Amino acid sequence: MPTFRPFDERGTPIEDQVMDWRELTIDPYDKIDVDPHTRTRVILMNGIENNATFTKHMIARTTPNIEVRESLASTRRVESMQQQAVNWLNPAQQTILETALGYEQVAVDLTANLAQNEEDLYQKATLNFALLEDFDHLYRYSLLYNQLENGDASEFLKDTIEIKEGRPTKIHHRHPSDEMRKSWDKNTASPKTKMNYFTIVAAEQQTMLYYKAHGFMYPDELARGLYTEIADVEQQHVSQYEALGDGNMTPLEINFLMEVNEAYNYWSYANTENDPRIRQFWEEMMRNEIGHMHEAIALLDRFEKKDPEKILGGDKIDVPIVFEETKDYVNKILEEQIDYQPYNMEYMPEQQIPQNWPSFAYRDQLNGTWIPSEEVVRKSGPNNGDKIIELESK
Ligand SMILES: [Fe+2]
Ligand SMILES: [Fe+2]
Ligand SMILES: [Fe+2]
Ligand SMILES: [Fe+2]
């Protein structure tokens, strides 16, 4: 297994990172031939880059320091270009719903990989908790895909993931107070815990943005409803995950850790990508990110006199993020935790939660008289479950 040592690398100087329109308008992958996990890497890195761009906008809005603003502007411009280049790898003939299936595959396979490599037990439990919800979203979208486009999601995802019911979406809807989570401590959390945090927040945020930006594009009422319902759950996922982070991190510490994380993600995929053209792209982007990291280190040194190794909590990360089949792990978590809910920031079976839990009333209010995630199942008919299982074992 390779080890990521960010401080050993020089990277590409920022002035050499600007791309021209030709380089930015990158050729897409082939929807049919693509390895489903290449698709997940593309979807995730678009989210990582979008998060980098917007976080830098946010930091710039909170500081009057013109030198900080200017340094952020120079790397932010590249983040924005990287985001477009990566996102343009998605082909036009891939429908909105097919891309949505890809988003939920990211949510499942990424979360399972991060959880298996997470030593902070509370962050691990939080990953496992939301894993079962995204797993169920994949199932609901796959039914819609069948109804609207006559598509077979198992075939589209080449059987790399199981498609079946998880924790039912209708019970994901909770009171905002149940988005609260316990935070790790920036002085004691491991580098990998910090990286997992930045990765999953960016991934869930992008999923939320994608559903919100595309749900209105359907004339079909059920499709509009399903995107609305699931986007609202993704909003809760962003909230619960961001709550894991230490609120005492300074903006410049966040900026630095985010750059290390971008580099770490690209490094992981440069090590595992099987499409040579895209692997080369990941390698180039990783060198850019190392360049950004050095810019972030210069800001930390100049304005906060801080040692980057201390902020990361070490000088290396031992394992890459690997996109691979996670069926066994997901089934194990399904078996153990399908009925879990968060109560007072701890996960427990719903039966153990008192009747006055605010989320019970909140859930009833949202579900009202129409639950799109249930109707999509009903509309698929009574044999739908059998059909899904049959497709899996094919
Ligand atoms: Fe970036
Ligand atoms: Fe999801
Ligand atoms: Fe999610
Ligand atoms: Fe960056």
Side-chain angles (χ1 to χ4, degrees):
M1 270 295 188
T3 296
F4 179 57
R5 297 179 183 277
F7 304 124
D8 291 359
E9 312 268 341
R10 290 184 65 93
T12 305
I14 190 75
E15 58 274 13
D16 296 337
Q17 296 188 13
V18 175
M19 293 177 246
D20 65 22
W21 308 131
R22 174 61 60 202
E23 291 169 297
L24 278 168
T25 315
I26 201 165
D27 283 341
Y29 59 75
D30 185 293
K31 164 186 154 175
I32 307 295
D33 292 346
V34 70
D35 179 331
H37 284 130
T38 295
R39 182 190 295 111
T40 58
R41 285 184 278 268
V42 168
I43 287 172
L44 174 60
M45 288 321 297
N46 173 52
I48 295 278
E49 292 296 356
N50 240 344
N51 183 58
T53 306
F54 285 115
T55 301
K56 287 178 185 194
H57 279 301
M58 204 183 65
I59 295 174
R61 291 169 202 172
T62 62
T63 176
N65 185 325
I66 195 84
E67 286 160 81
V68 171
R69 284 185 162 187
E70 200 176 331
S71 170
L72 289 172
S74 71
T75 53
R76 185 176 60 219
R77 192 64 172 274
V78 177
E79 309 294 8
S80 174
M81 290 178 174
Q82 289 176 305
Q83 182 270 320
Q84 293 182 92
V86 175
N87 203 23
W88 269 223
L89 279 165
N90 290 299
Q93 74 269 37
Q94 188 168 279
T95 68
I96 294 170
L97 202 35
E98 286 170 338
T99 306
L101 295 171
Y103 269 84
E104 294 298 348
Q105 180 168 27
V106 172
V108 172
D109 286 342
L110 172 70
T111 308
N113 181 266
L114 299 185
Q116 288 175 91
N117 294 288
E118 178 56 68
E119 58 195 59
D120 179 300
L121 294 179
Y122 188 75
Q123 183 154 295
K124 187 187 183 93
T126 303
L127 290 161
N128 284 334
F129 172 72
L131 170 69
L132 300 188
E133 304 198 332
D134 290 315
F135 185 74
D136 191 72
H137 299 165
L138 176 65
Y139 167 63
R140 314 279 156 176
Y141 277 133
S142 78
L143 298 175
L144 187 68
Y145 180 47
N146 189 260
Q147 290 163 26
L148 294 188
E149 301 178 19
N150 204 19
D152 178 340
S154 295
E155 201 178 294
F156 179 69
L157 301 174
K158 300 183 178 168
D159 292 318
T160 50
I161 188 164
E162 279 189 74
I163 297 175
K164 61 184 180 186
E165 189 175 36
R167 180 182 304 126
T169 295
K170 69 173 175 185
I171 62 167
H172 301 175
H173 314 307
R174 286 172 286 264
H175 191 277
S177 59
D178 283 314
E179 292 163 9
M180 299 305 110
R181 296 291 181 269
K182 299 182 218 169
S183 312
W184 38 254
D185 180 335
K186 69 176 187 178
N187 298 309
T188 54
S190 75
K192 179 60 172 155
T193 292
K194 291 171 183 165
M195 296 299 99
N196 286 351
Y197 163 77
F198 279 92
T199 301
I200 197 68
V201 170
E204 295 288 341
Q205 176 175 270
Q206 184 57 39
T207 308
M208 170 185 76
L209 293 173
Y210 183 79
Y211 300 159
K212 283 174 184 256
H214 294 88
F216 72 89
M217 292 178 171
Y218 293 86
D220 182 86
E221 189 189 38
L222 178 55
R224 298 165 73 85
L226 189 63
Y227 273 87
T228 304
E229 188 183 352
I230 295 179
D232 190 65
V233 179
E234 304 305 350
Q235 205 280 330
Q236 293 184 83
H237 286 176
V238 179
S239 306
Q240 66 139 30
Y241 281 128
E242 75 188 9
L244 296 170
D246 187 340
N248 293 306
M249 286 186 285
T250 68
L252 293 186
E253 288 174 351
I254 289 173
N255 182 53
F256 160 71
L257 289 169
M258 188 175 71
E259 296 292 12
V260 176
N261 188 53
E262 290 189 81
Y264 168 61
N265 269 267
Y266 281 126
W267 170 83
S268 295
Y269 310 139
N271 273 291
T272 49
E273 180 61 64
N274 44 25
D275 180 325
R277 178 180 71 104
I278 295 179
R279 189 192 316 127
Q280 210 180 5
F281 179 72
W282 299 147
E283 285 165 357
E284 191 189 326
M285 294 300 107
M286 182 195 72
R287 289 190 290 273
N288 285 0
E289 297 303 346
I290 295 287
H292 299 178
M293 181 194 74
H294 288 298
E295 299 286 323
I297 289 174
L299 289 178
L300 271 179
D301 179 55
R302 174 120 193 251
F303 297 106
E304 297 186 358
K305 298 267 165 285
K306 281 177 183 155
D307 173 5
E309 207 177 302
K310 268 205 185 131
I311 292 165
L312 181 58
D315 64 351
K316 64 181 169 63
I317 297 144
D318 290 319
V319 287
I321 299 169
V322 181
F323 276 100
E324 58 192 354
E325 291 193 16
T326 59
K327 295 172 183 173
D328 292 344
Y329 184 78
V330 174
N331 280 325
K332 178 176 152 279
I333 303 300
L334 271 172
E335 209 165 290
E336 295 169 1
Q337 310 186 12
I338 189 153
D339 55 351
Y340 277 24
Q341 291 285 1
Y343 181 69
N344 286 342
M345 299 195 280
E346 294 292 350
Y347 305 100
M348 63 185 69
E350 188 171 309
Q351 311 85 272
Q352 291 178 15
I353 297 179
Q355 276 310 309
N356 63 359
W357 186 42
S359 286
F360 285 130
Y362 204 83
R363 177 205 286 178
D364 288 346
Q365 189 190 349
L366 282 167
N367 285 338
T369 55
W370 182 51
I371 310 174
S373 64
E374 289 295 302
E375 190 180 322
V376 78
V377 177
R378 226 175 7 253
K379 234 181 127 182
S380 284
N383 296 323
N384 167 62
D386 302 348
K387 187 176 149 226
I388 294 287
I389 287 159
E390 196 184 285
L391 289 171
E392 272 161 22
S393 55
K394 189 172 66 173

